[in-house]
Amino acid sequence: MGLNYIDDADFQEKKVIARFDFNVPLKEGKILDTTRIDAALPTIKKILEGGATHLILMSHLGRPKGRRNNDLSLLPVAEYLAEQLNEDVLLTESALDRGIKTIIKLKKNKILLLENLRFHPEEEAGCKEFAKSLSDYADLYVNDAFGTAHRKHASTYHINTYFKNKSYGGYLLKNEISALNNVVDRPKSPFVAIVGGAKVSDKIKIIDRLLSSVESLIIGGAMAYPFLKAKGHGIGTSLCSEEDVKLAKKILKQSFGMKILLPLDHITSLEFAGSPIVYNDVNIPDDQMGLDIGPKSVEYFKTKIQSAKTILWNGPMGLFEYDEFSKGTFDIANALAESNAYTLVGGGDSVSAINKTGLSEKMSHVSTGGGASLEFIENGTLPGIDALKFGINL
Ligand code: AMP
């Protein structure tokens, strides 16, 4: 059985409960960036235009740790949605409000937004009774929360038990899966992956997974130092743990280890975020730390990028938050923007790096789900997606 998407659903006269990722940044009750809500609108409109009698929206926001926290109320989201949809959106007191069923019975208030699911510890604990209570509100279930599809939470995973053959993926989920499958399932060759950022142990699985399918794996950022050290190079005081050096040695020993490309030079400094030094050698002196890739490395990596047909990028090439150490990351972003390859940027910090360059429009796909996109690349699927496909057995 495959995954059913909302285009296959009949919403006519149905009550629909739908999980989104409205986890937007807030400041003093104002939404700073509405991207995540905007990304949900096509799915919401499709359900409403399909003739649903009620649409019950649900999401988490921030980390309230299982307790009510008025600063993390979804009220600003309800107000923004009402504006965008030109319809009333009723925010409930809590996800388990006694009045919800009555409201639905009375056929009043077509669109309801359940208050922050994570005010209830049962959500993250994956409590099946909580999932059952949510499922009782509706006839059909839609999941469009790609960013939380790697979590086995009540509203993303366990709820599927109560909607056998009545659960659907939304448009955002569909777009993410099809974009990620371009690199996971059928990457056009040559396939080049670029991995940066800070910790090898966090990305070890993704490196392992990618090495079998890529032509070249470019490693930059602080990720590069354990590999350089493992090869016997000097890395000075650069960020690097012994545990990561061990992992790097193991990876380099495999036959696929040949595919790894490392920086040839560096932008260093005597201290963290201090004055930059263009250090024209692979070996970093003892008193300096590497904080960005150097110009020779950029040219070297660019030759691989220019001949690629598929490019996956995860993790910045240096301490890009500081202008002095952002050039390597920006140069690589530019090389991707100029390439004709299928370019996918995924995973937390690479997305903020690409947004900082203003080049996100030039990428084929920028994934909205940090941890979720990494896990999808590692495993080819996610628990929330599997639950939609196959249901789950509790
Ligand atoms: P990650 O979350 O693993 O993608 O790591 C991203 C973080 O790694 C960013 O905050 C970068 O500033 C940081 N980073 C990248 N390269 C370096 C480096 N050479 N030294 C220190 N931090 C770095």
Side-chain angles (χ1 to χ4, degrees):
M1 200 178 86
L3 199 162
N4 288 321
Y5 288 108
I6 47 175
D7 281 327
D8 314 316
D10 178 8
F11 293 121
Q12 202 66 45
E13 294 298 312
K14 296 286 193 315
K15 290 174 280 184
V16 182
I17 189 159
R19 174 64 155 100
F20 294 95
D21 181 359
F22 296 144
N23 185 23
V24 286
L26 287 179
K27 196 173 176 195
E28 287 155 18
K30 293 247 165 348
I31 302 171
L32 298 179
D33 179 357
T34 60
T35 312
R36 285 190 167 152
I37 311 176
D38 297 334
L41 291 175
T43 294
I44 295 177
K45 287 182 179 161
K46 170 76 185 168
I47 298 169
L48 293 173
E49 284 158 15
T53 58
H54 288 88
L55 173 56
I56 299 117
L57 307 165
M58 50 181 179
S59 175
H60 71 285
L61 175 63
R63 295 167 193 256
K65 304 211 166 103
R67 274 199 246 132
R68 187 171 182 98
N69 173 347
N70 288 339
D71 292 341
L72 295 175
S73 163
L74 283 168
L75 183 61
V77 176
E79 288 170 352
Y80 181 76
L81 279 169
E83 238 171 71
Q84 296 302 307
L85 298 167
N86 219 357
E87 299 238 23
D88 287 341
V89 175
L90 179 77
L91 180 72
T92 67
E93 258 311 290
S94 92
L96 298 181
D97 221 347
R98 282 166 182 256
I100 296 175
K101 283 191 185 159
T102 319
I103 294 172
I104 295 172
K105 262 199 210 111
L106 291 175
K107 297 211 177 281
K108 274 178 29 184
N109 296 94
K110 191 169 173 181
I111 310 174
L112 281 80
L113 173 61
L114 303 186
E115 184 54 287
N116 196 340
L117 292 170
R118 291 195 188 164
F119 286 176
H120 306 267
E122 295 89 342
E123 163 65 358
E124 288 177 271
C127 167
K128 59 182 184 178
E129 285 78 24
F130 183 66
K132 171 86 173 70
S133 304
L134 299 174
S135 74
D136 282 344
Y137 300 142
D139 309 308
L140 304 177
Y141 169 68
V142 171
N143 189 353
D144 209 18
F146 179 78
T148 39
H150 57 317
R151 307 274 185 224
K152 286 186 172 177
H153 292 172
S155 68
T156 58
Y157 185 75
H158 294 89
I159 194 168
N160 286 277
T161 320
Y162 308 104
F163 290 103
K164 237 185 176 96
N165 303 320
K166 290 176 183 170
S167 58
Y168 301 87
Y171 289 133
L172 182 73
L173 201 83
K174 185 178 183 182
N175 290 341
E176 288 280 1
I177 293 173
S178 98
L180 285 160
N181 271 335
N182 282 327
V183 302
V184 171
D185 230 17
R186 35 177 194 274
K188 273 201 189 140
S189 178
F191 175 20
V192 172
I194 308 161
V195 181
K199 271 195 96 195
V200 176
S201 47
D202 282 358
K203 297 190 185 168
I204 186 81
K205 278 204 256 155
I206 201 167
I207 291 176
D208 254 352
R209 168 80 173 78
L210 288 170
L211 273 176
S212 59
S213 55
V214 294
E215 244 67 32
S216 309
L217 179 71
I218 292 171
I219 299 185
M223 289 278 296
Y225 310 125
F227 286 90
L228 289 170
K229 189 163 182 192
K231 292 184 94 170
H233 294 296
I235 60 158
T237 56
S238 307
L239 199 66
C240 179
S241 74
E242 275 316 306
E243 183 207 348
D244 283 353
V245 177
K246 264 194 220 151
L247 290 172
K249 274 191 184 149
K250 222 163 118 189
I251 295 171
L252 287 167
K253 252 198 227 146
Q254 303 168 15
S255 56
F256 290 142
M258 300 278 292
K259 297 179 177 181
I260 292 177
L261 309 185
L262 296 168
L264 305 173
D265 60 349
H266 313 272
I267 309 294
T268 62
S269 182
L270 290 168
E271 57 193 348
F272 185 80
S275 304
I277 303 164
V278 181
Y279 202 81
N280 187 14
D281 193 87
V282 63
N283 292 294
I284 299 174
D286 289 349
D287 60 346
Q288 296 180 26
M289 62 172 68
L291 292 170
D292 194 8
I293 57 172
K296 265 200 303 194
S297 313
V298 169
E299 288 314 308
Y300 174 44
F301 293 165
K302 264 165 98 174
T303 56
K304 290 291 170 195
I305 291 170
Q306 281 156 356
S307 61
K309 290 247 164 56
T310 306
I311 306 170
L312 167 69
W313 185 16
N314 171 274
M317 296 289 99
L319 191 65
F320 76 99
E321 294 92 339
Y322 293 79
D323 288 346
E324 299 87 338
F325 305 104
S326 63
K327 191 167 182 325
T329 299
F330 285 16
D331 285 350
I332 295 300
N334 268 305
L336 257 70
E338 284 164 12
S339 141
N340 293 320
Y342 184 85
T343 47
L344 189 144
V345 184
D349 260 322
S350 357
V351 176
S352 42
I354 205 85
N355 285 340
K356 213 173 156 197
T357 64
L359 293 169
S360 35
E361 295 293 314
K362 297 251 165 87
M363 304 298 143
S364 310
H365 185 75
V366 179
S367 179
T368 55
S373 61
L374 291 188
E375 269 196 48
F376 190 96
I377 294 164
E378 281 164 25
N379 304 323
T381 187
L382 295 173
I385 296 170
D386 280 345
L388 276 177
K389 272 192 207 166
F390 312 116
I392 56 168
N393 296 314
L394 287 175

